[in-house]
Amino acid sequence: PDLLGIQDLSKPDYGDPVQLHPGDIPVFWACGVTGVEAIINCRAPLVFTHSPGCMFITDLKNDNVRSLEGVPQVHCISQDPLHFSIVSAEAAQKIKTLETLIGIDPGERGIAHLQRQGELLGACLALSHAGSVLITTGFPTHFTHEPPEENDGPPGALAIAAMLQALEKQVAIVTDQRAMDLNKKIMEEAVQLGILKKPIPLLSYQRESADSALMFLCENGNPRRPRFDHLIAIERAGMAADGNYYNARKVNIKHLVDPIDELFLAAQTIPGVTTTGVGDGGNELGMGKVKDAVKKHIKNGDVIACDVEADFAVVAGVSNWGGYAIACALSVLRSCEIHDRYLRRAVGFPRAPNKRLWLPALPSVTKEEKLLKTLVQLGVRSGKTASLEMEVDGLPFYNTHSLMIEKLL
């Protein structure tokens, strides 16, 4: 042993002693902590090293090893703290294709000016790392009807929630207090239709003090103990620069909207918590990230543009499509061996890709058709026309929304 620089194998300089058995031969293991001693002594200002247990040394060089799924890609998903994720080039390309599919503009609103490449991938990588997710939806655009909600938003939110459930993540939904009964009925129907495995907790948020949002998001309001890792807003009325909430026709609907935006603003101050906004017009929560483009290119944008931004802004021709795309992209990531290895920190064996667990959670034409019929029965109307027909945002379900679902799948 002293040839290795260790006088007594029962008292190693680092780590735990190894119990020797007859015939064992001590060898030198080129562990990363050996070099750390030199780094400590030279007082280097910045060092990159391994995490304990995450190391692998082989006689093969990286250049001679080809991944089963091609070259890994590295993507930044958080600035505070700085957090990167890894995904195969093949999986990343599939998700970019999904993003392109939902980027068409059948309503001719000019959303092409709002789109940024890679937002769907970034949002879904962040969601893949999250253990607990909070979703919000609800746009009371039809202020003269009861209920005032439109039917764009809830189907997309439930599609995301269903996939997160299948991936064994904690999920909750926060919505307006006045709409709790409506959302409870929608939730019950979603379980009956097989969209959700089980009901999701329904929450409401009211501002009672300056720290209400922190108290809601974190245990005892402590930013070091967040209850949620990621927040998603999909077709959720967003606060404009003047503090009001506007529908596309520039009508102020603030009296129907609870201040859930405050949760997204508070999330910006909590390290490690990321946010996503899904929208199709620029007045939705999270679209503050592209508000300059909204003001310039969207009708009434100078008034209706949401001022609250999310880390990721997923823009779609119809917001529900954004929800469907997120569900599909999460399925792609779950099947990616490179991403799975990174999630496991390369510890243990790959998870057997039992697709039976999550593929049934994907949206389908049949499930979405039944859900839309349920929304019609509950009086939830089409956004653009206020009609109680099988349409969303004035676009017919058959051969428009049904075709989009098929393309995404």
Side-chain angles (χ1 to χ4, degrees), residues 161-349:
M163 182 54 66
L164 292 173
Q165 267 192 344
L167 296 176
E168 299 180 333
K169 298 180 186 294
Q170 297 296 315
V171 193
I173 291 178
V174 60
T175 189
D176 301 297
Q177 180 64 48
R178 57 160 189 81
M180 289 290 277
D181 287 342
L182 171 65
N183 279 275
K184 186 177 179 183
K185 290 175 184 174
I186 295 172
M187 183 93 62
E188 290 170 351
E189 286 296 324
V191 174
Q192 289 290 324
L193 294 172
I195 294 172
L196 296 176
K197 289 192 295 186
K198 59 183 180 181
I200 291 170
L202 269 177
L203 312 172
S204 66
Y205 169 76
Q206 302 291 328
R207 188 178 197 273
E208 297 171 354
S209 63
D211 62 350
S212 289
L214 267 182
M215 292 297 291
F216 184 96
L217 293 174
C218 306
E219 292 181 23
N220 300 318
N222 183 355
R224 294 184 179 181
R225 302 186 68 184
R227 292 191 178 96
F228 308 100
D229 304 310
H230 196 96
L231 279 59
I232 305 175
I234 174 168
E235 192 63 22
R236 170 70 194 175
M239 185 172 63
D242 63 3
N244 292 315
Y245 296 78
Y246 296 97
N247 65 14
R249 295 176 293 281
K250 213 162 57 172
V251 176
N252 187 2
I253 53 173
K254 184 176 181 178
H255 62 291
L256 295 170
V257 181
D258 288 350
I260 290 172
D261 305 65
E262 293 181 5
L263 301 179
F264 280 68
L265 291 169
Q268 296 172 6
T269 69
I270 306 172
V273 177
T274 45
T275 57
T276 294
V278 183
D280 57 20
N283 56 345
E284 303 90 358
L285 177 52
M287 290 295 112
K289 185 172 184 179
V290 293
K291 64 184 176 183
D292 291 340
V294 174
K295 292 174 182 178
K296 186 175 181 181
H297 298 286
I298 301 296
K299 184 180 178 181
N300 301 323
D302 56 329
V303 174
I304 71 171
C306 176
D307 200 51
V308 181
E309 68 178 82
D311 294 309
F312 306 101
V314 177
V315 179
V318 177
S319 292
N320 281 343
W321 299 353
Y324 303 152
I326 287 173
C328 291
L330 287 172
S331 174
V332 171
L333 289 178
R334 178 62 184 84
S335 304
C336 175
E337 292 180 14
I338 288 174
H339 184 64
D340 171 66
R341 176 180 166 85
Y342 186 66
L343 286 179
R344 290 184 288 109
R345 294 175 172 82
V347 175
F349 293 100

Side-chain angles (χ1 to χ4, degrees), residues 46 48 75-85 271-272 274 342:
L46 180 64
F48 295 88
H75 296 270
C76 182
I77 57 174
S78 170
Q79 292 291 340
D80 182 21
L82 198 58
H83 186 192
F84 294 83
S85 188
T274 45
Y342 186 66

Side-chain angles (χ1 to χ4, degrees), residues 81-136:
L82 198 58
H83 186 192
F84 294 83
S85 188
I86 296 178
V87 65
S88 71
E90 180 188 359
Q93 184 55 52
K94 284 183 180 179
I95 293 171
K96 287 176 182 176
T97 302
L98 294 173
E99 188 173 53
T100 301
L101 281 173
I102 63 173
I104 63 170
D105 188 7
E108 298 181 346
R109 300 182 185 186
I111 63 164
H113 300 286
L114 314 185
Q115 292 165 344
R116 297 185 181 185
Q117 277 198 335
E119 295 290 290
L120 178 63
L121 176 59
C124 291
L125 285 171
L127 279 167
S128 182
H129 287 271
S132 179
V133 181
L134 180 69
I135 303 173
T136 184

